[in-house]
Amino acid sequence: MSRLGELLDRGDELIITGEAPVIDGGTLADYEAKLQELAPWCDAMNATDNTAAHAHASNVAMAIAMQRVGVEPILQVVCRDKNRIAQQADIMGAALHGVENICCLTGDDVTAGDESEARRVFDLDGPQLIRLANSLKEGRYLSGRSVGTPPPLVIGAVENAGTHPLDYRAQRAAKKILAGARFLQLQICYHPDRLEGFVKALHENGFAEKCAILPSVVAVKGAGPLKFMHNSVPGIDVPADVISRVADAETPAEEAYQLVLEQCQHALSLPGVRGLHLTDFRKDGSMARLCNDLGIKPRTEREQHAHDRIVAV
Amino acid sequence: MGLISAIEHVIKKPIWDCKMCGQCVLHDTGMTCPMTCPKTLRNGPCGGVREDGHCEVKPEMRCVWVKAEERSRTLPLMPEAWREHFNNLRPPVDNRLKGDSSWKNAMSGRDKETPPGWTPEPEAPAAEVEVEA
Ligand code: SF4
C-alpha cells in the first residue's frame, strides 16, 4: 500500500503533501532536480493535471516519473480535459505503474488557461469522479466490466473552504467524504475564520475521523503573487490588509514568510486538521526553514520514528 | 424532437433556461437548472466561485449553484423531500438522453437508470452537517 494509505489507516500521525512543480520540456533528471526543494518533507506529492488549464507534461507521466525517482505521487485527475472513458484509462494506467493515490477534482475552466478557445469536457464532476474511482477500486469500470485485479486506490479530493456558498462548503466536503474521499486537500484560504468554521463543522460531525483534512498553504516571496491570486484565481480572495501587510513591510519576502508560517500554525492548531498541503513558489530553501520552524521532521525521520513506535508496541 | 419534448422545451426554456438533458433534477437543485452551469456540474458548486458569488467562467453571471443552494433553503411551497435531496450524489449524465423529454423519461423510469458499475448513492449528509453561520 502507498505510504499515504498507510498513514491514513494508522490514523494519528501528521500528513504532509506537496504540490509538485510541473515540467514541460526536459529530462527525468531535470524533473528530479525540480522536486528536491519540497520532496524531502512530503509523504506524497501531487502530479497535477494541466494545472490552471495550461498544458504540461501529463499527470500520469509525471506520476510515473516521481515513482522512478523515489517520490510518492498523488495522481491528480480533473474533469475539464477528458471524458469518463479517458479518466478511467488514466487511473488504471497509472495504477499499472504502482500509482495508488489519486485526487479527484472538478478542475479550473479552460478560460483559466492560455488556450481558452479549447472545448471544455466536464463529462463527470468532482463527486462523480470520486465515486467512479471507488468503482475501479472495487474492481469494475463504470460499465460494470471487471478490471481484473482491483487497484488498491487511495482516493482523495479537494474542497475550497474559503468561497461561497460559505455555509454549504462543509456539506459539500461531507458529500465527497461519503462518496469515498479519504483525504481532502483544501484550496489556499486567506480567511482564517472561514477555514475554522469549515473544519469545525467537519470535526464536530465526525467527518474528520473518516478523512484527513489538509489545508493548503502557498509560500510566496512578496505581495505580487498575493495580488495575482486575488485578482486572477477565481475562488481565492486575499483581503486587502493581508496584501498590504506584505507589500508595506520593510522586507516583504520575510513578511511573506511569516505570513505562511502563521497560516501553518493556525491550521495545525485546529482540531480535525491532520496535516498540510504545501506549495512552494519561493524556491529559496524556505520549505526547510518552514518545516524546521514548525517542528516537522523530514519524511524519512518521521518514517523511522513511526517504525520504531510500531516495533516497540 | 417529439411532440412531448417540444412542449417541455417551450415551457421549461423560458422559466429555467432548460437545456433538455432529458434527466431532470430541477426539484432537487432548488428549481435551478444545473446544466446552465458552464461546467454542467450536477453535484454542487466548483471551487472557483468568486467573492461576489459570481461564476468563475462567466463573471457577469451569478453562480448557478450559489443560487440553487439559496433557493433550496428559501423557496416557498417546496416539498421537504426536495430540499433534503439537495445533497444527494447525482449520477453521471446519460448523454444519450439529450434532447429527449425528461417527463417521458421520468414516467418510464429511464432517467433513473445508471451505468451498471455505478454504486448506489451514499446517504446524503444534509441533516448531519450543521454549520454555524
Ligand atoms: S462558479 Fe458556479 S456556475 Fe460557475 S462553473 Fe463553478 S459551479 Fe458552475
Side-chain angles (χ1 to χ4, degrees), chain A residues 1 3 25 55 78 105 119 173 205 237 261 271 279 296-297 309:
Chain A
M1 192 194 288
R3 169 166 171 78
V78 308
L105 285 71
R119 174 186 292 211
N205 291 282
D237 180 74
L261 177 62
T279 301
I296 297 172
K297 302 260 183 303
R309 208 180 57 158

Side-chain angles (χ1 to χ4, degrees), chain B residues 26-32 68 70-84 86:
Chain B
L26 266 180
H27 37 280
D28 289 350
T29 55
M31 301 308 288
T32 308
E70 184 185 288
R71 289 167 54 136
S72 78
R73 284 183 287 107
T74 57
L75 266 193
L77 304 178
M78 227 171 55
E80 209 40 49
W82 291 10
R83 291 188 211 284
E84 282 167 13
F86 185 74

Side-chain angles (χ1 to χ4, degrees), chain A residues 135 140 142 163 171-172 205, chain B residues 43 45 49 87 93 117 119 128:
Chain A
S135 291
R140 59 185 186 282
L142 209 49
T163 194
Q171 287 185 34
R172 181 162 158 81
N205 291 282
Chain B
N43 284 294
V49 183
N87 269 327
V93 168
T119 33
E128 289 178 59

Side-chain angles (χ1 to χ4, degrees), chain A residues 159-173 194 198 235, chain B residues 43-54 62-73 86-87 131-132:
Chain A
E159 187 49 61
N160 187 348
T163 194
H164 301 283
L166 287 172
D167 290 349
Y168 174 66
R169 287 289 161 180
Q171 287 185 34
R172 181 162 158 81
R194 294 180 184 180
F198 174 88
Chain B
N43 284 294
C46 72
V49 183
R50 293 166 190 271
E51 187 60 12
D52 60 1
H54 282 221
R62 194 163 179 236
C63 164
V64 168
W65 279 99
V66 167
K67 199 161 81 182
E69 194 275 335
E70 184 185 288
R71 289 167 54 136
S72 78
R73 284 183 287 107
F86 185 74
N87 269 327
V131 185
E132 282 166 35

Side-chain angles (χ1 to χ4, degrees), chain B residues 36-41 44-50 54-58 61-66:
Chain B
T36 59
C37 159
K39 297 184 185 176
T40 61
L41 305 181
C46 72
V49 183
R50 293 166 190 271
H54 282 221
C55 171
E56 162 188 343
V57 185
K58 297 183 180 168
M61 176 181 93
R62 194 163 179 236
C63 164
V64 168
W65 279 99
V66 167

